[in-house]
Amino acid sequence: MKFIKIINTGGTFNKIYNPIKGELEVLSDCKVVKKIMKKSLFQKKYKITQIISKDSLKFTKKDRKFLVKTIKKSKAKKIIIVHGTDTMSKSAKFVAKRIKNKKIVFTGAMKPFEIEKIEAVANLFQAIGCFKNLKKGIYISMHGICKKFDKIRKNYKKGVFDEE
């Protein structure tokens, strides 16, 4: 199939401010990704699936196994995983050990779309653009860089991802 599957797992990318609780919480729907994709030229070339819906720091091994199951079940050969940045590398490594026959790109945002739209939009569209030059494997696409998952890392001091 020639479509891109977007698996939205939550993370900061999807957080919104809850004024009653006075905190940011992860949306359990695809509103953010759908809003971004409405502006793309890929109107009928993607499918979105929402799973897990939590901050990546709260991901468990069971969550990662469910992510792998969801990937395996998909007929898509190109998959984007919208994921929290704190454990994106850990999930990518987990997936890499179990999936070998697809192009998978993890992306996300360090600031919620609701607060900073540019980062989320740029990272998601960059992830889509990465597929042209990729071989089968697991990648992370963040802040202008798209590399194999073990060649890019979150730089907490700079507040961006950079090359290993």
Side-chain angles (χ1 to χ4, degrees):
M1 300 217 145
K2 296 196 179 203
F3 67 93
I4 296 173
K5 177 76 160 186
I6 301 172
I7 300 174
N8 189 22
T9 67
T12 300
F13 188 101
N14 294 281
K15 286 184 177 176
I16 61 161
Y17 181 70
N18 180 331
I20 295 168
K21 292 182 179 177
E23 59 189 39
L24 291 169
E25 44 185 48
V26 177
L27 285 174
S28 60
D29 59 30
C30 299
K31 282 182 187 173
V32 172
V33 175
K34 285 179 181 175
K35 187 172 187 174
I36 293 170
M37 292 306 292
K38 265 187 184 176
K39 302 291 183 187
S40 80
L41 299 174
F42 303 96
Q43 290 304 313
K44 295 181 180 171
K45 297 179 184 173
Y46 69 90
K47 295 180 182 179
I48 303 171
T49 299
Q50 178 74 34
I51 62 169
I52 305 169
S53 302
K54 59 173 129 173
D55 191 294
S56 71
L57 289 171
K58 295 179 181 174
F59 271 37
T60 64
K61 189 173 183 177
K62 183 179 176 182
D63 293 326
R64 289 185 178 87
K65 284 181 177 180
F66 185 66
L67 175 58
V68 167
K69 182 180 176 182
T70 303
I71 293 166
K72 285 182 176 179
K73 218 166 81 172
S74 176
K75 292 178 180 160
K77 297 294 180 195
K78 297 176 183 176
I79 298 174
I80 293 173
I81 312 288
V82 176
H83 195 287
T85 61
D86 286 317
T87 65
M88 185 183 286
S89 295
K90 184 176 182 176
S91 293
K93 183 178 180 179
F94 188 89
V95 170
K97 290 179 181 177
R98 291 155 180 86
I99 307 280
K100 307 286 184 200
N101 63 339
K102 298 180 187 241
K103 295 178 184 180
I104 300 171
V105 179
F106 281 76
T107 195
M110 294 173 74
K111 296 176 188 143
F113 174 79
E114 184 178 75
I115 294 169
E116 172 56 57
K117 291 178 178 30
I118 293 171
E119 182 193 12
V121 172
N123 287 339
L124 182 58
F125 283 162
Q126 177 189 311
I128 292 167
C130 284
F131 285 118
K132 276 188 177 178
N133 302 316
L134 300 181
K135 295 178 180 174
K136 291 177 183 173
I138 312 302
Y139 300 84
I140 292 177
S141 177
M142 292 287 295
H143 304 126
I145 303 169
C146 184
K147 296 277 185 185
K148 282 272 196 186
F149 75 93
D150 56 352
K151 303 292 182 204
I152 184 171
R153 66 180 168 85
K154 185 173 180 175
N155 184 324
Y156 287 89
K157 286 183 182 178
K158 293 181 183 177
V160 296
F161 276 68
D162 58 23
E163 297 180 57
E164 280 284 325

